[in-house]
Amino acid sequence: MRRLVSWMFCAVLAGMALGCAQAKKTANEIEVWHWMTDRQDSLQALAERYEQQTGIKVKIALFAPSDSYTQKVIAAAQANVLPDIYGILDKKSIVASFIKAGYVADLTEAFKADNGAWEKRLFAKAINNNRFVEGNVDKVKPGIYGVPLDVSNIQMVYNRALLKRAGIMKPPATFDDFIADAQALRRVGIPPFVTGFGEMWIVDCFASNYAFNIMGEAKVMATFRGEVPYTDPDWIAVFALFKKLADKGVFMEGIVTKGNKYAEQDFALERAAFSFDGSWCVNIYKTMNPGLDYGVLPLPPVSSNFPMRMWDGAGSSLVVNDLSPNKDKAVAFLKWLTAAEQQTYLAEKTNNLPANRDAHRAFTDVLGGFSKVMENTTHPNIWPLNEDPLVVEAFDKGIQAIMIGDETPQQVAGEVQSVKVRQMGRAARP
Amino acid sequence: MIANKYLIQGFFKNTLLHIFLLTVTISCLFPIFWMVRSSLMSNATIFVDQSLLPHEWNWHNYAVAWTKGNFGVYFFNSLIYTVSVVMGIVIISSLAAFAFSRLKFPGKDALFYMFIAAMMIPLPGSFVPLFVLMNKLHLVNTRFGYILCMINVGLSLSILLLKTFFDKMPSDLEDAARIDGCSRIQIWWHMALPLAAPALAVVVIYNSLNVWNEYILATLLLSDNNLMPLQRGLMVFNGAYQVDYPVLMAGLTMTAIPIVAVYLFMQKHIIKGLSSGAIVG
C-alpha cells in the first residue's frame, strides 16, 4: 500500500512537472476561440492556408458545448485574457456590455474602407445583426462590431417521394394548395407537416412570417408600438391560420409539444411530408438519411397583398478583441476568411450558407433554395423595435392553445391584447 | 403443513426479491448495452433499426472515434490528470483528515467546517474567481493549474470521509505506536494509512470517476488542444445542430472501459470502505 502511495506521489510530481510551462504567443500569431464543432476542421485547414500565404499563424481553438464556451468567454473577459478573435453567444444587450467594457473593436472603418468593399460583399442582413444603430437602447456607439461567418434562414422543406405517393407532382404555391396537399397526404396515411412547435421561437417565426404576408411589416411594427390592437381582423386572420391547419389535419400528432430536434428526425426518417426548418437542416438530414429526396420552398403565402418574409437565423459571427495587440492582424484575417474563395470552401465542407454573396452562386438544389431568398429575409434583431417579451409569450402560448383546440383565435387575440395593454401601462409609468 | 406454508412464503419472498434485483440490474446495464449496440450501427440505421443487435456490425466507428477524436493524446492527458489528481487528493486529504481527527490546534473545528462548506458551492459558481486566480498565478492553460484545481474540487468530500474513518480508530493503537517511537508523521504513514485502505479505496474510485469524466473545468482553464482530457474528444461528435451518434457511442464506450476496469479492480475495497468504519484495526 505504502509503496503504491510512494509511486503515486512520484506520479503527481511528474504530472505537475510535465505541465508547468504556459504556452507563449508570438507577435505573428493570432488566436481564435469558437464553439462551432462542425466547422473546426475546415477552419483549421483555412488557418493553415492563411499561414502559408501570409506567414501569420492562426490558432483555432474549439470549446464546446456552447454553454461551456460562454462560461469561458465570460471568465476570460473578467481576467482580461480574451483571445484576438472570439464570438459572443448571447443576446445583443450582453454584446453591448462587452463593447462598453472595451473587449470588442468597432469594425465600421474596416468595413467602410475602399469604398465599403468588405461591407458590400457580405449580406446586409448578416452585417446588421452585428450593427448597433443610432439611438440604440443599449447606448452603444453606433457601428459594426462583428463579422458574420455564415447565415441561415428558415423555410419549408418537402419530401418529394412522399408527395409523389399522394399523387402530388409539384409543391404547393399557395396556402390553400398546401391544405389540399395535406389532405391528399392524409388520405394515403402520411402525416403532412411536422416542426418543433414545442419551441416558442418556431411558433413565433411561423406566425410572424404570415403576419408580414397578411398585413405587411409596417402594420406589424404599428402593433408593437401599440397603435394597432391584436384584436384587429388581420391578427385574427393570423391566429385563424393555425386553427385551419389543425382542423384540416395538417399537423403531425404531438406537434405542439415536439422539440425541433425530434421534428428534424421525423422529417429525415420520412415520417412526415413537410417540415418548417432552418438551413442547418441540410447537414442533419444528410447525416440521418443521406438518400433523402427533398426540396425547399418559402411558406406558401396566404395573401398576395404583401411579400412573404422569412426569418434568417442570426448565423455565426466573430468579434475582434479591442485590447488585442494584434488587432489589425485579426481584422485582416477575418477579411480574408469572408472572401468568396474561403467562404465557398467553408460552405462546401460544412453545408452552411456563407455570409459572402458571391459564394452563393455555386449552390444548387436545397442549399440553393435556402440561398436564393437571403435578400428577402428578416429577423427580430434587425426590426426597428421588438414586442414586449411577455406579450410574445402570451402570443406563442395562445397559438399553441389554438392548435390543441383549447381556445379560439378570437379568445387568444383578446388575451394577447390584454397583456399588451397591461405591459404598455407598466412601461408608461414613471 | 406449517413447514409448507413457510416454504411457500419463502419461495414468494425470494421470487419477488429476485424480480426486483433483476429489474434493477437490467435498468443499470441496459443503457450500457444500448451504448455498445449503438456504437456498432451506422448513421443510416441507428434511428431506424430497433432490433436489439445490429444487423451489420460497424467496427469502423471505433477507428473513426479514435482518429477523428484524437483519442491518443487525450487518453494520455486524462491518465496524467487522473493519477496526479487522485494521488494529490489521497495525500493531502489523508494528512488533513488525520490532523483534524488526531491533533489539537486552535480553530480546528472552524477550519474543518470551512472545508465542508466548500462542498456546498457548485463548481460553475466558482468559475470566474477560479479563472481570475489561476490567471494571476500564470497557471491558466497549464497541466499544473488544472491538476491543482481538480485536487481542490475533490478535497472536501475526501477529508470528510477519511476524518470519519480516523475518528473511529482506537487511540490505543496510536499510543502503542508512540511507545514504539513513532513520530506523528510516522503514525500517519505506518499506521493510519494502511488501516484506512478501504476508505482510501472509496476516495480513489470516487475521485478517479470525477476526474476522468470532467470536462467543464478543463474547457475553462485549458486552451491548448494538446492539454485537453478525454471528454474533449467526445465533443467533436456532438455538434450544435447534429450529433454523430454511432461514433459518439463508440467514443463513449472506449472512454468508459478504463474507469469500469478501475471500479471492478477496487470494488472489494469500496464495499468494505462503505460498510466499515465501526471496526478499525
Side-chain angles (χ1 to χ4, degrees), chain A residues 168-281:
Chain A
I168 304 160
M169 290 307 141
K170 58 177 185 163
T174 66
F175 188 77
D176 288 338
D177 289 351
F178 178 47
I179 300 274
D181 288 353
Q183 287 177 319
L185 285 159
R186 275 283 175 211
R187 278 196 289 276
V188 291
I190 299 168
F193 177 78
V194 69
T195 190
F197 275 153
E199 295 176 24
M200 296 291 191
W201 71 269
I202 295 194
V203 178
D204 205 29
C205 175
F206 193 92
S208 72
N209 279 193
Y210 278 111
F212 275 59
N213 174 234
I214 290 172
M215 66 190 90
E217 184 173 346
K219 192 165 176 180
V220 173
M221 294 305 137
T223 312
F224 292 173
R225 283 194 297 273
E227 294 159 13
V228 174
Y230 280 99
T231 47
D232 182 275
D234 278 347
W235 278 107
I236 290 179
V238 173
F239 292 126
L241 288 177
F242 289 90
K243 182 168 168 47
K244 192 169 183 184
L245 290 167
D247 290 349
K248 298 285 182 186
V250 175
F251 296 139
M252 189 183 189
E253 290 66 28
I255 197 170
V256 180
T257 51
K258 208 176 270 286
N260 200 38
K261 207 157 100 179
Y262 301 103
E264 282 164 343
Q265 233 175 61
D266 284 333
F267 185 80
L269 301 177
E270 309 198 63
R271 294 177 193 144
F274 291 99
S275 186
F276 181 63
D277 207 349
S279 48
W280 55 81
C281 71

Side-chain angles (χ1 to χ4, degrees), chain B residues 38-211:
Chain B
S38 303
S39 73
L40 296 167
M41 299 185 105
S42 68
N43 265 314
T45 56
I46 195 163
F47 296 107
V48 187
D49 189 351
Q50 300 295 320
S51 54
L52 275 180
L53 292 173
H55 291 112
E56 271 181 46
W57 292 41
N58 220 330
W59 293 102
H60 177 66
N61 291 334
Y62 283 86
V64 174
W66 186 268
T67 49
K68 201 175 163 194
N70 204 10
F71 270 29
V73 175
Y74 299 142
F75 243 102
F76 173 72
N77 289 337
S78 277
L79 208 64
I80 288 184
Y81 295 143
T82 307
V83 173
S84 308
V85 170
V86 169
M87 203 48 233
I89 289 173
V90 165
I91 292 168
I92 298 170
S93 65
S94 61
L95 275 168
F98 187 71
F100 282 129
S101 174
R102 292 304 194 200
L103 304 187
K104 289 192 176 87
F105 56 90
K108 185 173 97 169
D109 288 344
L111 204 58
F112 177 68
Y113 290 127
M114 271 170 65
F115 265 108
I116 302 308
M119 281 199 302
M120 313 300 164
I121 304 168
L123 190 57
S126 59
F127 274 170
V128 172
L130 197 62
F131 188 89
V132 174
L133 174 71
M134 297 315 277
N135 186 52
K136 293 249 187 250
L137 296 170
H138 300 285
L139 288 175
V140 166
N141 203 24
T142 64
R143 285 202 173 97
F144 185 48
Y146 179 61
I147 289 169
L148 279 184
C149 288
M150 285 309 293
I151 288 176
N152 180 44
V153 168
L155 273 183
S156 305
L157 187 67
S158 307
I159 290 173
L160 180 68
L161 268 172
L162 289 169
K163 183 185 176 291
T164 314
F165 200 88
F166 289 144
D167 282 346
K168 288 173 181 162
M169 201 171 69
S171 56
D172 296 351
L173 280 174
E174 198 184 336
D175 294 341
R178 206 169 291 137
I179 290 165
D180 286 344
C182 280
S183 65
R184 288 225 190 261
I185 196 85
Q186 283 171 322
I187 292 172
W188 166 76
W189 181 247
H190 292 293
M191 195 198 81
L193 269 190
L195 284 176
L200 286 176
V202 177
V203 169
V204 167
I205 188 70
Y206 169 79
N207 287 297
S208 301
L209 264 169
N210 202 19
V211 183

Side-chain angles (χ1 to χ4, degrees), chain A residues 51-86:
Chain A
E51 189 181 358
Q52 282 169 4
Q53 290 178 12
T54 63
I56 293 169
K57 189 175 170 60
V58 183
K59 194 178 154 199
I60 307 279
L62 165 72
F63 302 100
S66 47
D67 290 351
S68 307
Y69 171 80
T70 303
Q71 290 265 20
K72 187 172 178 85
V73 167
I74 292 170
Q78 301 221 6
N80 198 11
V81 288
L82 280 166
D84 308 294
I85 298 171
Y86 62 102

Side-chain angles (χ1 to χ4, degrees), chain A residues 2 8-9 22 64 72 287, chain B residues 87 140 190 215 219-220 242:
Chain A
R2 278 170 293 161
M8 290 174 89
F9 184 66
Q22 200 171 22
K72 187 172 178 85
T287 312
Chain B
M87 203 48 233
V140 166
H190 292 293
Y215 175 69
T219 311
L220 183 81
Q242 61 185 120

Side-chain angles (χ1 to χ4, degrees), chain A residues 282-302:
Chain A
V282 176
N283 254 326
I284 297 166
Y285 300 158
K286 195 176 162 190
T287 312
M288 284 188 188
N289 184 2
L292 185 69
D293 182 16
Y294 67 108
V296 59
L297 77 160
L299 279 178
V302 73

